[in-house]
Amino acid sequence: MEVDIEVKADALEGAFDAVLAAEAVDELKASVSALKAQLDAQAVAAGRLPLDGAKAADPARDAFVERYLRRGIDAGVEMKSLSGASAAEGGYAVPREIDGSIASTLKSLSPIRRIATVVQTGTSGYRKLVATGATEAGWVGETAARPETDTRSFAEIAPPSGELYANPAASQAMLDDAMFDVEAWLADEIGREFAVAEGTAFVGGNGTNRPKGFLSYTATNEADAVRDFGELQYIASGAAGAFAASNPQDKLVDLVHSLRAPYRQGACWVMNSDTLARIRKFKTSDGAFIWQPGLVEGQAASLLGYPVVEAEDMPALAADSLSIAFGNFRAGYLVADRGETRILRDPFSNKPFVHFYATKRVGGAIIDSNAIKLMKFAAS
């Protein structure tokens, strides 16, 4: 009888041990699952994009902003030297994040850059080959001779360029203030100053140490088929320094259709706000305005179905002025940016202010003179 009791007791004790072991295994599995979930959460958090307003860690940007811009410590900052005697004479390369902010400001504030073709170049000697004329073909019989046809000729475009510079200043007290966002301030200041200078050059620059503006090219009333390459065609407004007294909108229609159909896809108007104010008052014979506002916020207004770009650098109405441009600027005008923006910190010239001398090489030129048309405010 005692043997039976001992056997039963041993079996019961073994059952308890098995239950405890199973519970231990379950607890271990739960701990492992919790640890795995925690590691997965950390991995997701590490791969997640920064919250709005937060900046991902970038050693190059941090060294540039916190060390060089704020305190003038140039260790660890990429140099762009132009002189062997002074390592920093060429300034310091702006990190891509700040350079991208400057480029965004330029695109939003410089109207011609926004509608033209923009290329990044690694040399100031940028060249582009443009085909001129048209290929010819012919009809022949089955056994007739095939005379040689003319081939297209090419013109080389070398956009004139110059060094664009800006020189904003901040006090050292502002730079010492940790709450002062020197990165955003500098990108905005440089971008705005660059945009103002660019806007003037892309419209009327003479090509000497700066881009050549599209209004600096020879303008003639000859059509595309007979006009020399590099010359722009103009349509006369019908009156010196003004629109024609009757049906002034007719000349705008003539200007639109002087541009060949392939170019009209993507074409736009360019004029200053004073000229646009005059055109907005034009009406058709049934009393409808030819100017139409954008239907949604941010959409450009349209004139005869084409968007209007306001460029204050376009000349005001005067005798023989070229105050309105219409064309496909993406096909007709090229902006060439060479390299990144460079900055040289100058705390000595105007104490207690610190100047940031920023430079960038920019070029510009017409690449297709058939893609842009002008209105000349003259009788003929």
Side-chain angles (χ1 to χ4, degrees):
M1 191 65 179
E2 292 180 359
V3 174
D4 292 340
I5 293 174
E6 285 183 9
V7 170
K8 291 179 181 179
D10 290 343
L12 185 60
E13 184 177 353
F16 281 136
D17 291 341
V19 170
L20 292 175
E23 290 178 352
V25 171
D26 291 340
E27 290 180 0
L28 181 60
K29 288 181 178 179
S31 299
V32 171
S33 298
L35 180 59
K36 183 176 183 300
Q38 183 179 1
L39 293 174
D40 289 342
Q42 292 176 353
V44 171
R48 185 179 299 141
L49 293 175
L51 297 175
D52 189 24
K55 293 184 176 65
D58 183 350
R61 184 191 66 82
D62 291 342
F64 185 81
V65 175
E66 300 302 328
R67 294 170 62 84
Y68 182 64
L69 295 184
R70 288 190 185 276
R71 293 179 287 170
I73 301 174
D74 56 13
V77 181
E78 182 185 357
M79 293 182 294
K80 293 291 183 182
S81 176
L82 297 182
S83 170
S86 175
E89 186 174 333
Y92 295 88
V94 174
R96 286 175 295 184
E97 183 174 312
I98 303 178
D99 208 35
S101 298
I102 295 173
S104 295
T105 304
L106 284 173
K107 190 173 182 179
S108 63
L109 297 180
S110 180
I112 305 304
R113 173 182 284 270
R114 191 165 66 247
I115 59 178
T117 293
V118 180
V119 297
Q120 302 290 330
T121 71
T123 174
S124 59
Y126 177 78
R127 299 287 189 274
K128 181 180 178 66
L129 284 178
V130 179
T132 62
T135 55
E136 293 189 4
W139 295 96
V140 294
E142 181 181 358
T143 59
R146 271 63 174 172
E148 182 179 352
T149 58
D150 292 337
T151 58
R152 302 185 75 175
S153 57
F154 292 88
E156 185 182 64
I157 304 296
S161 65
E163 189 165 88
L164 186 62
Y165 76 91
N167 196 24
S171 67
Q172 186 60 55
M174 294 170 63
L175 299 177
D176 291 338
D177 186 353
M179 299 302 294
F180 176 59
D181 191 346
V182 61
E183 175 185 336
W185 167 81
L186 188 62
D188 184 67
E189 288 292 316
I190 293 174
R192 288 180 179 276
E193 292 188 33
F194 279 4
V196 171
E198 276 190 0
T200 302
F202 294 155
V203 172
N206 59 14
T208 302
N209 297 326
R210 69 195 65 198
K212 187 170 183 178
F214 61 89
L215 292 186
S216 297
Y217 288 80
T218 301
T220 174
N221 60 359
E222 296 176 329
D224 292 351
V226 296
R227 192 175 66 255
D228 290 338
F229 178 80
E231 295 182 349
L232 299 181
Q233 181 185 3
Y234 71 79
I235 300 296
S237 66
F243 288 97
S246 62
N247 299 321
Q249 66 274 7
D250 290 353
K251 292 296 183 180
L252 296 176
V253 175
D254 293 340
L255 185 59
V256 168
H257 289 279
S258 67
L259 188 69
R260 297 207 303 269
Y263 293 112
R264 292 202 293 269
Q265 303 296 320
C268 63
W269 300 90
V270 178
M271 64 189 78
N272 66 26
S273 56
D274 179 67
T275 305
L276 179 58
R278 297 171 187 248
I279 293 176
R280 288 185 62 175
K281 302 171 187 176
F282 291 172
K283 297 180 181 180
T284 60
S285 57
D286 58 358
F289 288 99
I290 65 171
W291 181 88
Q292 295 295 325
L295 298 179
V296 296
E297 184 179 358
Q299 183 182 29
S302 64
L303 175 62
L304 299 177
Y306 297 94
V308 180
V309 175
E310 293 187 55
E312 297 306 322
D313 294 291
M314 289 292 289
L317 267 62
D320 296 330
S321 66
L322 300 169
S323 300
I324 298 177
F326 177 76
N328 189 324
F329 282 80
R330 199 164 301 281
Y333 196 82
L334 175 73
V335 175
D337 288 335
R338 181 194 173 194
E340 66 283 307
T341 305
R342 294 172 297 166
I343 290 182
L344 184 62
R345 190 180 191 272
D346 177 14
F348 308 109
S349 299
N350 189 21
K351 294 186 287 289
F353 296 98
V354 178
H355 284 264
F356 297 96
Y357 177 68
T359 60
K360 183 177 184 177
R361 293 197 64 85
V362 180
I366 282 180
I367 53 175
D368 189 347
S369 55
N370 293 330
I372 300 174
K373 304 295 181 179
L374 305 172
M375 176 165 284
K376 184 177 181 179
F377 284 83
S380 61

